[in-house]
Amino acid sequence: MSGRAFGTQTPAAPPREKEHVLPTEAPITPSPFAEKVRGPVGRSCDKIDGVERVTGTKLYGADLIAREADLHAKVVRSEHAHAEVVSIDTKEALRVDGVLAVLTAEDVKGTNRHGLIRRDHPVLAKDRVRYRGDAVAIVVAKTEQAAAAGRDAVKVEYRVLPTVESIEQAMAPGAPHLQPGGNVMGGRRIRKGDADSALADSHVVVSETFRTQTVDHAFLDVEAGVARWDGELLTIRVSGQWVHEEARLVALALGLPVERVRIIQPAAGGAFGGREDISIQIYVGLAALRFAGKTVALRYDRAESMRARHKRHPMRIEYAMGADREGRLTAAKVAIYSDEGAYASTGIAVCRKMSSHATGPYRVPHVRVDVFGVHTNNNPTGAMRGFGATQIAIAYEGMMDRLAAKLGVDRVEFRRANLIRPGDAVTTGQVVPSPTAVECLEAVLRQYGSKSMPSEPLPTHLRRGWGVSVICFGMGYGDGFPDASRARVRIGADGCVEVYSGIVDVGQGAENVIAQVAAEEMGVGLEHTRVITADTHMTPESGSCSATRSTFFAGNAVRLAAGELKEKLLDAAGELLCVHPNELEFRGEEIRGRFDEGLCCSLGELVAAARKRGYELEAEALFKPRTICEDFETGQSPRAFITYMFGAHVSQVLVDVETGEVRVERHVACHDVGRAINPEAVRGQITGGVVQGIGMALMEEVVYRGGRILNPGFTDYILPTVRDVPPVECVVLESNDPLGPYGAKGVGEPPLIGAVPAVLSAIYDATGKAPATLPCNPERVWGMLTGS
Amino acid sequence: MFYQPTDMAEALRLRAELGPEVVTVCGGTDVVVAMNHGVARPEAFLDLSRVAGRDSVERVNGIYLLGGGVTFAQMAKLPVRALAEAARSVGGPQIRNVGTIAGNLGTASPAGDGSVALLALDAEVELSHVERGSRWVRLEEFFLDYKRTALQPDELITRVRFPSDFESVWYKIGKRGAVNISIVCCAIGRSPAGAYRIALGSVGPVPMRAMEAEAVLNGDSTDAAHRAVAYLADEVIERAAEAAELEAAPIDDQRSSARYREAMCRVLVRRLLRELRDG
Amino acid sequence: MGDSGGAWHLSCTVNGEPVEAEVDPRITLLTFLREHLLLTGTKGACLEGECGSCTVIVDGRPINSCLMLAGQAQGCSIQTIEGIGDDKKLHALQKHFIATGAAQCGYCTPGLIMAAKAMLDANPSPTEQEFTTAIEANICRCTGYESIRQAIRDAYREIHG
Ligand SMILES: Cc1cc2nc3c(=O)[nH]c(=O)nc-3n(C[C@H](O)[C@H](O)[C@H](O)COP(=O)(O)OP(=O)(O)OC[C@H]3O[C@@H](n4cnc5c(N)ncnc54)[C@H](O)[C@@H]3O)c2cc1C
Ligand code: FES
Ligand code: FES
């Protein structure tokens, strides 16, 4: 049948002849830095721990458990989405063979609370549970099986309270209050010009209500790790995204001075924001405190991981946008209701990311935005790749397509005419330095146009279409939130350059970036550098691995520290060679006279001599650029973010209009990343982000009923496989960020943000119906097309 | 406890002697998932993965005879289109290498792709007992209710048989391109005499036949000539498709709504009948 | 064959070495490899056959070790990521996974390499479809897959000249 367009329907006799084995070319636009590439910066150096990762010797949390665990802990979780805890009976559990202890709120000596912005999340709930993932007790036992049996034997008596399942229920009059302040946790707003009048005066206005779904990070490496208390120091080895903050949260919750909590990051199998909120660190730490000298282990299985962890905010976005007769945007009026779940997590910051990005990379003179974070009895929602900028991009790009259609103009032309250009401001009023939105759009269209659309006639039930998106993303925490990174660079005993940074590598390659920066700056080969990261007692604080900030922040701190170390080395060399240090310079692994070629010593000789004379071969630096807090009335800030990244995508889909199945045939993504310190790692971030975006657009969705997750596993939480995605065509647009290390910006989040609206736009183009509810799984697309 | 017989006679003896707490396992792709989820904690297993001859494939007198331990990887290579395509769509290579047809029938999931394909192929399953011997049961009598079958606790599924001369087609709707659980799946077989069998998956408690739809196509006549291929005018196909939609009895679950599933029965029956007609 | 009380004697070959162990045959092969033999290169992520992280090669075929019972490995020859190459001599797949950036967080990598190796071992001239089919049940949340396919193609070219 000609209609077999979709993955599972492989032809009965697969063709045996060799198809083309060549990869799709992943082009890079000519790099403005091409001639400058000398050292490791700008090169696709192999992953520095690649060998360990491909041979299975890298140790992740669960691997530590297999090797070191003495005791095992399990968490007792609420059976209800909302209830009072009447009593906890541990007698039965303590009788289980092998069970050593059952810990409840009473055993927590500190504040018993955590939370990245508000400390509102009990470690162990004492009197009330607010979602099904809430923890009420911890069982410690000699074996994992015993701990699990003990967990199942803990009897908790609850008085069930009504469940608040949705934003609508939470805001209805008379809804039970989930937090003392009520269910509206707070929010953010934009008041820029007069949106109401401007909309009234507009030539055309389009309104739409978008609904985005709950998304799970679904990193493969589920939460697992070990802790040990030696009477002095509590050492926790669990992967997170910000070791120093985790130490503070553990210390606070458990009542220890922060110096006595050491967090060491094992290898992390992905994160995507999902390790930003604390996960098992406090629980396993609490259990370890009870059993000094023993290594206590805790791991979740997939279902517990999905039940316990925060999620991407599902949102209802009511968007109205207008344009004038000439096709210029006039105004945007946006109301956003965001399901915060049971606890605050980073929700308020996500609200701000929504408001500050409400009109994306477009010039909109009048903007009114209200974002409301609303508590429900679903999982807390917090950071996930894109951090609110993902959801709002679905809305503003959806509006661009709808408005273009209503105006009867070409959707690409319409975007071109309204994208910000040098001197224009984004939603926050910030005039973005060197906006590259237009360049990204042109580059992505060029790449898409380089191959022609398949011309074979389609069977009647299939439709092909393509869509486009342009997005922007403010890098770093922004809005005046303290955002800093420290690094230390020293010459080790063996002469290697050692880089110490608190930044964690969750798999994206942060360690490579800092190694490459340090090697470049010190003029040594990558093989002569060693990175030590993410250990609170060894590495200086570098902030979180989030907000697409690692390259920019950690990279800059390392660069500054290396620069200082070089100065120290030149001082020492001057003394050794009896010349003024200004007359010397680094050349590769040598120091030479600027004017006198005869003056020369190798880095090795210099280090040996300097060490002998007691020079300190170490330097630390702080990178702390400032942003400006928004005006809370208007949401305006002249410098909300340090820098902006831009991206544009084109997606081509085939839609089966009878079944609603959608297949992405091509996807092209162009991103301005500043300087690509490691181009291959950049492409890896783009392709990976795009595939997560396709997952969000088409299939991923956490389904709740009464606060219970109905699909807490990979059987029904559907992730894209290799058969669901085309080879992503990446166009890396390099530019020079004046503040970035070697001009680099970053790349982590934008690719996902751009991918989702491009796929939706393609579905619109193919079918004539514009999706407003995600994900576009077969049933939903069918429903949209048939009006069912 | 772990019993690992190496021949079928021994396996049947053990099955008859041991109580129902000893769980039969072959590929383990259903049993071990349930165990890992803590849904079932079997105390003991009767492992059939070492039974000699469990995975034999024979074709005798126009009949295919498959051992119960025939894997999806094996079925994917058979020149029986619906079964091969269904098998190819199951899991990925890792699942297809171990998952078996007996396991698929034993689980009796309404979403069992192998079961749906076999139903359209007019298959029978052999249930064997060490003393009572074997009985052949037609699949429509084998599936009783949600995950309940005619298999007695002291029996094993030993073989499956079906005519080798059916033409067949198959389609599954899921949410992605591989490792794809069906939201709806449909298989249609046509005997050399021109009789149609339509099987639907995930639209009722068990893999089901769309009898009303078949009746539209087959009429009540036994006259083979009456059921000429030409019979399949678009209008007839549409009536059969509509009948399938009406007789499907799906439920709403987290994968899909009943409404969508019903509508898809119509789409798939229509599409597959046209495919059979147009070749 | 036959009965056993509690622990069982398991004989099998792991990475070419004979293994004799007293184990509960009802644990999964994944648990046996990781917790009894400390071969922690094989990862578990879903324990329901949906992600392929736990893929090992048993008697030449790729399987999910999270779904095989240890007892079912009796007499089998098992190959894990630890058995195909090490830092002194990498397997071609390992080398190219590094070279193309196919391992980001690396958690999916051992399973992917074993799935790919089983295919390359069995198929001297895979089609583009077959390259894809080999890894269709392996989830990678980081890379977007193309670098992985590229690594497998490159390894194939290296192996077959
Ligand atoms: C990731 C994944 C994807 C899957 N995808 C699909 C899919 O797309 N389509 C699909 O249909 N299925 C799918 N399945 C389900 C499963 O693979 C099939 O049902 C398979 O056929 C089961 O075979 P098995 O040998 O592994 O069964 P087992 O797990 O060994 O047994 C299954 C059941 O059958 C019984 N049983 C097994 N053999 C016998 C026998 N000889 N006599 C009596 N009873 C017996 C067992 O006691 C048990 O109740 C998937 C499973 C997984 C884990
Ligand atoms: S852990 Fe075995 S397939 Fe996911
Ligand atoms: S590299 Fe992280 S899951 Fe594949």
Side-chain angles (χ1 to χ4, degrees):
Chain A
M1 168 177 84
S2 44
R4 295 201 182 276
F6 297 94
T8 45
Q9 333 292 341
T10 38
R16 289 295 309 183
E17 75 276 19
K18 201 68 141 275
E19 300 164 37
H20 80 106
V21 203
L22 277 180
T24 320
E25 275 308 309
I28 288 207
T29 52
S31 167
F33 304 101
E35 73 285 2
K36 284 198 229 153
V37 176
R38 266 179 297 147
V41 163
R43 277 188 214 281
S44 295
C45 303
D46 286 348
K47 219 173 171 68
I48 53 178
D49 56 358
V51 170
E52 289 167 81
R53 296 205 194 240
V54 301
T55 53
T57 49
K58 191 92 190 169
L59 297 181
Y60 299 78
D63 305 334
L64 301 177
I65 296 179
R67 281 148 204 278
E68 299 175 21
D70 297 319
L71 303 176
H72 294 264
K74 289 285 176 204
V75 182
V76 180
R77 292 185 190 278
S78 172
E79 291 150 42
H80 303 285
H82 192 199
E84 277 172 23
V85 178
V86 178
S87 66
I88 304 174
D89 179 355
T90 62
K91 283 194 291 297
E92 196 94 342
L94 285 166
R95 272 200 288 274
V96 171
D97 197 27
V99 169
L100 302 173
V102 181
L103 308 174
T104 62
E106 249 91 90
D107 302 290
V108 186
K109 299 293 175 244
T111 61
N112 189 25
R113 292 191 167 258
H114 65 90
L116 279 172
I117 295 179
R118 295 180 190 170
R119 317 271 185 250
D120 64 343
H121 196 157
V123 174
L124 293 177
K126 194 178 171 152
D127 37 34
R128 190 148 163 219
V129 286
R130 292 179 181 81
Y131 81 111
R132 280 174 177 270
D134 254 333
V136 289
I138 307 219
V139 178
V140 190
K142 289 186 189 153
T143 64
E144 196 175 359
Q145 291 70 18
R151 171 193 61 199
D152 298 343
V154 172
K155 300 263 172 305
V156 185
E157 192 188 329
Y158 296 98
R159 199 172 71 77
V160 179
L161 299 170
T163 302
V164 178
E165 292 186 44
S166 63
I167 297 166
E168 289 72 22
Q169 283 184 13
M171 295 185 73
H177 281 190
L178 302 179
Q179 292 289 349
N183 293 340
V184 176
M185 175 191 82
R188 285 292 183 267
R189 47 156 55 187
I190 300 283
R191 296 288 182 272
K192 179 174 167 183
D194 181 353
D196 284 311
S197 321
L199 280 178
D201 296 343
S202 295
H203 174 57
V204 292
V205 175
V206 170
S207 308
E208 181 69 271
T209 300
F210 296 88
R211 287 169 205 277
T212 66
Q213 77 275 41
T214 307
V215 179
D216 190 84
H217 311 85
F219 44 71
L220 289 187
D221 171 22
V222 285
E223 294 87 343
V226 295
R228 192 178 175 94
W229 166 247
D230 64 6
E232 295 285 325
L233 187 66
L234 177 62
T235 304
I236 298 175
R237 287 186 290 158
V238 168
S239 40
Q241 289 182 237
W242 186 357
V243 287
H244 289 83
E245 180 70 4
E246 287 147 23
R248 286 189 285 270
L249 288 172
V250 170
L252 204 66
L254 299 184
L256 288 170
V258 70
E259 316 79 69
R260 296 175 73 178
V261 179
R262 177 176 184 182
I263 308 269
I264 306 174
Q265 172 97 354
F272 319 118
R275 299 185 201 272
E276 238 175 83
D277 289 29
I278 207 133
S279 66
I280 65 173
Q281 294 90 340
I282 303 181
Y283 303 128
V284 70
L286 176 67
L289 284 176
R290 181 58 87 82
F291 297 95
K294 298 279 187 205
T295 298
V296 182
L298 172 58
R299 65 170 160 193
Y300 294 168
D301 61 13
R302 178 61 56 187
E304 187 174 12
S305 168
M306 287 185 71
R307 285 197 185 108
R309 189 168 9 87
H310 65 278
K311 304 275 176 277
R312 184 194 287 289
H313 292 74
M315 298 195 183
R316 190 176 91 224
I317 305 174
E318 297 166 0
Y319 210 122
M321 203 176 204
D324 64 16
R325 228 170 268 283
E326 281 71 48
R328 281 183 308 241
L329 293 172
T330 50
K333 186 174 173 187
V334 193
I336 301 167
Y337 301 87
S338 160
D339 181 346
E340 298 291 333
Y343 299 101
S345 178
T346 45
I348 201 73
V350 171
C351 288
R352 172 58 179 162
K353 201 95 187 186
M354 298 283 289
S355 69
S356 62
H357 288 67
T359 55
Y362 299 103
R363 219 180 313 111
V364 187
H366 302 276
V367 186
R368 181 187 174 100
V369 182
D370 289 283
V371 190
F372 304 97
V374 182
H375 282 303
T376 65
N377 291 119
N378 295 327
N379 282 47
T381 48
M384 183 174 177
R385 205 172 192 176
F387 206 71
T390 306
Q391 293 93 321
I392 195 66
I394 292 165
Y396 64 68
E397 281 302 88
M399 296 315 286
M400 292 306 285
D401 277 349
R402 288 164 174 79
L403 261 180
K406 187 145 182 190
L407 283 163
V409 299
D410 177 73
R411 60 207 163 133
V412 172
E413 272 318 314
F414 183 55
R415 284 178 169 83
R416 249 187 217 122
N418 287 287
L419 283 170
I420 55 167
R421 312 249 169 183
D424 289 336
V426 288
T427 320
T428 54
Q430 178 173 1
V431 175
V432 173
S434 55
T436 51
V438 178
E439 286 87 332
C440 287
L441 177 61
E442 304 307 344
V444 83
L445 291 170
R446 253 195 321 276
Q447 170 63 22
Y448 182 63
S450 69
K451 292 176 208 159
S452 50
M453 269 244 192
S455 56
E456 94 276 8
L458 289 173
T460 51
H461 62 279
L462 294 182
R463 305 263 197 288
R464 181 173 277 125
W466 65 279
V468 62
S469 73
V470 190
I471 59 106
C472 68
F473 186 79
M475 195 270 305
Y477 306 148
D479 285 307
F481 195 87
D483 201 350
S485 184
R486 276 177 201 281
R488 186 161 67 242
V489 179
R490 62 188 293 266
I491 308 287
D494 58 354
C496 274
V497 174
E498 289 180 349
V499 193
Y500 292 79
S501 164
I503 207 77
V504 305
D505 190 325
V506 290
Q508 86 284 37
E511 290 187 348
N512 261 62
V513 166
I514 59 179
Q516 288 181 231
V517 167
E520 176 85 21
E521 200 63 20
M522 297 301 298
V524 303
L526 201 56
E527 65 285 4
H528 293 138
T529 58
R530 189 157 48 229
V531 288
I532 297 95
T533 59
D535 174 339
T536 50
H537 282 48
M538 293 275 284
T539 60
E541 171 145 16
S542 201
S544 63
C545 167
S546 66
T548 309
R549 66 185 287 286
S550 303
T551 293
F552 198 93
F553 278 81
N556 261 321
V558 167
R559 187 176 189 191
L560 291 172
E564 285 202 20
L565 179 57
K566 262 163 77 172
E567 270 179 37
K568 286 189 181 181
L569 285 169
L570 283 180
D571 272 351
E575 212 179 299
L576 264 166
L577 299 170
C578 302
V579 291
H580 192 277
N582 284 356
E583 290 176 30
L584 296 171
E585 65 181 8
F586 272 85
R587 272 203 224 142
E589 301 197 16
E590 282 178 350
I591 285 128
R592 279 183 181 274
R594 277 178 199 271
F595 314 110
D596 177 356
E597 282 287 321
L599 276 179
C600 173
C601 73
S602 74
L603 192 59
E605 289 165 356
L606 171 63
V607 165
R611 200 185 299 280
K612 216 177 270 168
R613 300 203 191 168
Y615 278 91
E616 190 196 31
L617 298 179
E618 179 173 309
E620 189 166 309
L622 168 70
F623 177 67
K624 189 176 181 183
R626 296 202 184 267
T627 52
I628 299 170
C629 182
E630 65 183 298
D631 175 319
F632 287 112
E633 268 311 300
T634 64
Q636 301 295 287
S637 164
R639 194 167 149 78
F641 293 96
I642 298 159
T643 190
Y644 278 81
M645 286 161 281
F646 295 87
H649 290 225
V650 170
S651 196
Q652 179 183 310
V653 302
L654 205 53
V655 181
D656 184 325
V657 292
E658 291 177 357
T659 63
E661 292 165 285
V662 177
R663 178 185 181 75
V664 180
E665 293 185 304
R666 273 185 79 190
H667 197 103
V668 191
C670 171
H671 284 274
D672 165 17
V673 302
R675 178 85 183 272
I677 289 189
N678 184 325
E680 185 180 271
V682 164
R683 279 197 295 268
Q685 287 297 301
I686 295 176
T687 53
V690 166
V691 169
Q692 287 186 357
I694 292 174
M696 180 169 175
L698 299 183
M699 57 192 92
E700 294 181 37
E701 180 175 27
V702 175
V703 184
Y704 289 99
R705 189 170 304 147
R708 179 200 292 273
I709 296 178
L710 298 182
N711 55 344
F714 286 177
T715 301
D716 280 302
Y717 187 82
I718 307 292
L719 296 163
T721 68
V722 66
R723 286 221 180 269
D724 298 292
V725 293
V728 177
E729 298 162 56
C730 305
V731 185
V732 178
L733 189 81
E734 291 202 272
S735 65
N736 189 6
D737 190 273
L739 267 181
Y742 303 95
K745 293 182 180 180
V747 66
E749 293 166 274
L752 187 157
I753 301 170
V756 188
V759 174
L760 303 186
S761 170
I763 294 173
Y764 183 14
D765 185 48
T767 65
K769 291 264 166 56
T773 303
L774 273 73
C776 290
N777 58 31
E779 172 164 8
R780 208 164 268 127
V781 172
W782 169 82
M784 176 178 82
L785 296 178
T786 56
S788 305
Chain B
M1 303 262 210
F2 201 77
Y3 304 90
Q4 201 167 52
T6 53
D7 65 62
M8 195 46 88
E10 169 80 348
L12 289 173
R13 184 185 64 76
L14 284 166
R15 186 63 281 173
E17 275 172 14
L18 300 168
E21 70 286 356
V22 179
V23 172
T24 305
V25 61
C26 197
T29 59
D30 283 319
V31 167
V32 184
V33 170
M35 180 183 105
N36 287 346
H37 283 176
V39 177
R41 293 181 209 276
E43 277 299 303
F45 289 103
L46 172 59
D47 172 27
L48 302 182
S49 69
R50 296 308 148 82
V51 171
R54 70 192 178 284
D55 57 356
S56 67
V57 176
E58 288 174 87
R59 187 174 165 173
V60 189
N61 297 334
I63 300 284
Y64 268 111
L65 264 170
L66 310 185
V70 166
T71 62
F72 290 113
Q74 290 175 282
M75 288 183 270
K77 295 196 190 115
L78 291 178
V80 181
R81 183 159 169 194
L83 187 61
E85 287 188 12
R88 244 194 306 280
S89 84
V90 171
Q94 296 92 324
I95 297 289
R96 296 195 287 271
N97 280 334
V98 296
T100 64
I101 193 58
N104 205 252
L105 294 170
T107 296
S109 160
D113 291 307
S115 306
V116 173
L118 286 177
L119 198 51
L121 293 168
D122 200 7
E124 293 175 302
V125 55
E126 182 188 48
L127 309 180
S128 304
H129 183 270
V130 65
E131 281 151 14
R132 298 197 299 272
S134 7
R135 53 192 180 119
W136 285 97
V137 179
R138 305 187 49 168
L139 280 194
E140 36 276 77
E141 279 122 41
F142 176 72
F143 299 119
L144 300 179
D145 202 347
Y146 183 65
K147 298 201 171 173
R148 259 189 54 218
T149 69
L151 178 76
Q152 294 302 312
D154 54 2
E155 289 175 325
L156 289 176
I157 298 169
T158 38
R159 286 185 297 178
V160 176
R161 70 177 180 203
F162 52 90
S164 65
D165 52 4
F166 273 45
E167 284 173 274
S168 61
V169 284
W170 179 86
Y171 196 98
K172 164 159 89 177
I173 298 175
K175 290 187 181 169
R176 65 179 170 191
V179 202
N180 197 13
I181 297 186
S182 91
I183 294 174
V184 182
C185 110
C186 177
I188 303 184
R190 181 169 66 196
S191 74
Y196 290 87
R197 289 175 64 91
I198 302 180
L200 297 168
S202 301
V203 296
V206 292
M208 63 172 269
R209 261 177 79 191
M211 304 287 233
E212 305 285 329
E214 289 176 14
V216 171
L217 303 170
N218 299 337
D220 40 21
S221 168
T222 48
D223 173 11
H226 187 69
R227 310 187 193 123
V229 178
Y231 219 106
L232 282 194
D234 276 352
E235 175 267 327
V236 178
I237 288 180
E238 202 50 50
R239 274 198 289 126
E242 187 180 353
E245 173 169 3
L246 289 176
E247 66 190 300
I251 53 163
D252 290 324
D253 64 17
Q254 79 273 12
R255 287 178 197 153
S256 176
S257 71
R259 184 68 208 90
Y260 176 70
R261 289 183 161 124
E262 285 164 6
M264 287 310 106
C265 289
R266 182 187 202 128
V267 170
L268 295 194
V269 167
R270 181 202 299 134
R271 197 176 275 189
L272 290 177
L273 284 174
R274 285 194 186 156
E275 192 177 343
L276 265 179
R277 179 189 67 189
D278 304 339
Chain C
M1 188 186 102
D3 190 347
S4 75
W8 216 56
H9 190 82
L10 175 63
S11 312
C12 57
T13 310
V14 178
N15 296 329
E17 303 282 330
V19 167
E20 304 285 333
E22 301 297 320
V23 290
D24 181 341
R26 299 166 302 181
I27 63 171
T28 62
L29 178 60
L30 176 66
T31 304
F32 177 66
L33 291 171
R34 288 181 52 84
E35 283 162 31
H36 294 248
L37 304 183
L38 290 186
L39 293 172
T40 52
T42 305
K43 306 298 181 197
C46 71
L47 309 187
E48 52 186 4
E50 293 279 342
C51 78
S53 309
C54 64
T55 304
V56 299
I57 301 178
V58 174
D59 293 338
R61 296 179 313 171
I63 58 105
N64 294 317
S65 61
C66 71
L67 297 186
M68 180 175 264
L69 298 168
Q72 294 183 299
Q74 183 72 284
C76 292
S77 168
I78 300 154
Q79 209 175 32
T80 72
I81 189 72
E82 288 90 349
I84 70 163
D86 58 23
D87 52 354
K88 281 165 214 85
K89 177 139 183 40
L90 293 176
H91 186 274
L93 279 162
Q94 293 172 314
K95 207 162 77 189
H96 290 287
F97 264 65
I98 298 178
T100 62
Q104 282 186 24
C105 81
Y107 203 83
C108 66
T109 306
L112 270 157
I113 289 181
M114 298 314 286
K117 178 169 189 293
M119 185 274 287
L120 292 184
D121 288 350
N123 189 344
S125 58
T127 60
E128 193 60 14
Q129 268 297 338
E130 287 163 338
F131 274 111
T132 303
T133 304
I135 58 165
E136 70 180 6
N138 288 73
I139 297 288
C140 173
R141 190 63 160 157
C142 300
T143 63
Y145 299 109
E146 196 47 28
S147 52
I148 294 169
R149 278 204 287 203
Q150 190 54 43
I152 301 171
R153 290 188 201 104
D154 290 350
Y156 166 73
R157 277 202 216 106
E158 179 179 323
I159 294 167
H160 294 274

